[in-house]
Amino acid sequence: MALALKALHTSFAVHFLAVVGAILVLIWCISFRGGLAWDSSNKNLIFNLHPVLMFIGFIIIGGEAIVSYKSLPLKKPEKKLIHLVLHAIALILGIIGIYTAFKFHNESNIANLYSLHSWLGIGVIVLYGIQWVYGFLVFFFPGGTPTIRSESLPWHVLFGTFVYILAIATAALGYLEKLTFLENSGLEKYGSEAFLVNFTAIVTVLYGTFVILTTLCQSPAEDEYSYSAI
Amino acid sequence: MALALKALHTSFAVHFLAVVGAILVLIWCISFRGGLAWDSSNKNLIFNLHPVLMFIGFIIIGGEAIVSYKSLPLKKPEKKLIHLVLHAIALILGIIGIYTAFKFHNESNIANLYSLHSWLGIGVIVLYGIQWVYGFLVFFFPGGTPTIRSESLPWHVLFGTFVYILAIATAALGYLEKLTFLENSGLEKYGSEAFLVNFTAIVTVLYGTFVILTTLCQSPAEDEYSYSAI
């Protein structure tokens, strides 16, 4: 069932929210939190890489990977290549982003893996990796039999959608967790930084919503090209 | 598109997770946090009503309302009545549950509505109310024209699914926020209560996942009764 909307049109909202969200998270981490660094005596600068890599690298690029397959007016092999390459970039940046959180914790003597954010985050990256490897093997190289492909497709879509929604929820948990730490250390609850972080979280949720909505809309390929299930 | 699974079968997982989740949240609020009270000099007992009402009252009953329409082997008018009554109960208990959070804050001189959890929570309850009223007017009484009904149906399903996923995410934010407050006040990060709360959150996410999965499965009505879109 496709909704009576064009995926190409809803994908414009996706790109717009991606730009707004990327600007907001950079303003937060650079202007409010002091900037980004891989190595520094100020360990907070190492932490700041985490939201930037997870949101811009993992959530935004991962969302664009999902949307690209549905919205681009290209032939299937080209869209498949864009889809799997963007997802690979998102996965790699997500893994580096998770590494920066451990690096910050370890260099600051903070405990690892006790919070719901960290638990779900590890779950998301593992499931995302499994989904990518399965998709690569069945739909790209060496490729499954036609039966395996057609039976796998709805589950590929469903499982990918589930993992992506879980990624958005995990991001929301991350914003709330970090802001709660900052507020417990004296940051104003109704101050400009608190509003900035909460609005960034809401833009993240809206971005995820439009990514999923786009997957339910009509692909241009259905009108213009010979299109069939993988 | 329905998955090759029976909604009646996946609904058993929904009911099972509902029972497990309800037991976990009651153990947390009663055994670990001291119990429930509408009025008390110990204001924490007023707060404890909030997770119990939101999870058992709003999330679980709301999930059962969604699942009932898809999984019960009944005729459409009976399922519709069960669907709308369960959603009404969920909405009322959700509103009371939100009131208990304000009551706790106001009696304890804690600020209201500064966190992402509270912002999304208000958004969810308002959207849930709008969805219920629209559904009642169009599908129950006085009822829209056949065209309005058939055109509204996919959006009713889509918007309801969106609001319910947002409700699950808001619940996850609530568990993390409360646990972070407790850990900042000295609760052990790897202690039994921390694990209990995180596992309750994971059961909540799994419950929501099986609720949404059930909506994508085959309704018994499609086989046994004359079934059509509303």
Side-chain angles (χ1 to χ4, degrees):
Chain A
M1 179 194 77
L3 295 168
L5 291 172
K6 301 274 187 200
L8 191 61
H9 296 167
T10 56
S11 74
F12 293 140
V14 171
H15 307 320
F16 174 74
L17 289 163
V19 172
V20 173
I23 291 170
L24 289 177
V25 80
L26 287 171
I27 290 174
W28 179 40
C29 292
I30 296 173
S31 299
F32 282 81
R33 292 282 111 216
L36 313 170
W38 189 262
D39 278 310
S40 172
S41 57
N42 179 358
K43 301 305 176 192
N44 292 320
L45 307 189
I46 298 170
F47 173 81
N48 294 345
L49 288 168
H50 179 67
V52 169
L53 283 166
M54 298 318 292
F55 182 43
I56 300 179
F58 186 61
I59 298 276
I60 291 184
I61 296 180
E64 292 288 350
I66 293 169
V67 161
S68 70
Y69 196 79
K70 194 77 190 190
S71 68
L72 291 179
L74 301 172
K75 295 216 165 83
K76 203 169 70 176
E78 296 157 0
K79 292 199 295 187
K80 199 186 281 190
L81 197 64
I82 293 169
H83 184 68
L84 81 84
V85 169
L86 285 177
H87 271 311
I89 295 170
L91 186 59
I92 291 165
L93 292 177
I95 290 167
I96 298 170
I98 289 174
Y99 174 76
T100 60
F102 280 97
K103 190 171 191 288
F104 163 67
H105 283 182
N106 293 341
E107 295 183 16
S108 312
N109 293 315
I110 297 171
N112 281 309
L113 292 177
Y114 65 87
S115 79
L116 184 63
H117 171 66
S118 64
W119 289 19
L120 291 183
I122 295 291
V124 164
I125 207 80
V126 169
L127 296 176
Y128 206 96
I130 292 169
Q131 168 84 345
W132 192 88
V133 170
Y134 186 85
F136 186 90
L137 293 175
V138 169
F139 299 119
F140 193 72
F141 183 80
T145 63
T147 312
I148 290 175
R149 287 175 183 230
S150 67
E151 286 185 357
S152 294
L153 185 61
W155 292 103
H156 178 75
V157 172
L158 185 68
F159 191 70
T161 305
F162 166 70
V163 173
Y164 195 70
I165 292 171
L166 204 57
I168 297 288
T170 305
L173 288 168
Y175 293 118
L176 181 127
E177 188 175 35
K178 183 65 183 179
L179 191 55
T180 306
F181 290 151
L182 294 172
E183 287 168 350
N184 278 322
S185 305
L187 191 82
E188 265 190 79
K189 287 188 170 75
Y190 297 107
S192 53
E193 184 169 349
F195 276 91
L196 174 69
V197 175
N198 282 347
F199 277 116
T200 310
I202 286 171
V203 169
T204 305
V205 170
L206 284 175
Y207 177 78
T209 304
F210 274 90
V211 167
I212 303 302
L213 183 66
T214 300
T215 66
L216 301 171
C217 294
Q218 289 161 13
S219 172
E222 284 166 28
D223 312 321
E224 294 166 29
Y225 297 98
S226 162
Y227 185 81
S228 64
I230 290 167
Chain B
M1 179 195 77
L3 295 168
L5 292 170
K6 301 271 187 203
L8 191 62
H9 296 167
T10 56
S11 74
F12 293 140
V14 171
H15 307 321
F16 174 74
L17 288 163
V19 172
V20 172
I23 291 170
L24 289 176
V25 81
L26 288 171
I27 290 174
W28 179 38
C29 292
I30 296 171
S31 299
F32 282 81
R33 294 279 111 218
L36 313 170
W38 188 262
D39 278 309
S40 172
S41 57
N42 180 358
K43 301 304 175 191
N44 292 321
L45 306 189
I46 298 170
F47 173 82
N48 294 346
L49 288 168
H50 179 67
V52 169
L53 283 166
M54 298 318 292
F55 183 42
I56 300 178
F58 186 61
I59 298 275
I60 291 183
I61 296 180
E64 293 288 350
I66 293 170
V67 161
S68 69
Y69 196 80
K70 193 77 190 189
S71 67
L72 292 179
L74 300 172
K75 296 218 166 81
K76 204 169 68 177
E78 295 158 359
K79 290 200 295 187
K80 200 185 281 190
L81 196 65
I82 293 170
H83 185 68
L84 80 85
V85 168
L86 284 178
H87 271 311
I89 295 170
L91 186 58
I92 291 164
L93 292 177
I95 291 167
I96 298 171
I98 288 175
Y99 174 78
T100 59
F102 281 96
K103 191 171 191 289
F104 163 66
H105 282 180
N106 294 340
E107 294 182 18
S108 311
N109 292 316
I110 296 171
N112 281 310
L113 292 177
Y114 65 86
S115 79
L116 184 63
H117 171 66
S118 64
W119 290 18
L120 291 184
I122 295 292
V124 164
I125 207 80
V126 169
L127 295 176
Y128 205 97
I130 292 170
Q131 168 85 343
W132 192 89
V133 170
Y134 185 85
F136 186 89
L137 293 175
V138 169
F139 300 119
F140 193 71
F141 183 81
T145 63
T147 311
I148 290 176
R149 287 176 184 231
S150 67
E151 286 184 359
S152 294
L153 184 61
W155 294 103
H156 178 75
V157 171
L158 185 68
F159 190 72
T161 305
F162 166 71
V163 174
Y164 195 71
I165 292 172
L166 205 58
I168 296 289
T170 305
L173 288 168
Y175 293 118
L176 181 127
E177 188 175 34
K178 183 65 183 180
L179 191 54
T180 305
F181 290 151
L182 294 171
E183 287 168 350
N184 278 322
S185 305
L187 192 81
E188 265 191 79
K189 288 187 170 74
Y190 297 108
S192 53
E193 183 170 349
F195 276 91
L196 173 68
V197 176
N198 282 346
F199 277 115
T200 309
I202 287 172
V203 169
T204 305
V205 170
L206 284 175
Y207 177 77
T209 303
F210 274 89
V211 167
I212 303 301
L213 184 67
T214 300
T215 66
L216 302 171
C217 293
Q218 290 161 13
S219 171
E222 285 166 28
D223 314 320
E224 293 166 32
Y225 297 99
S226 163
Y227 184 80
S228 63
I230 290 168

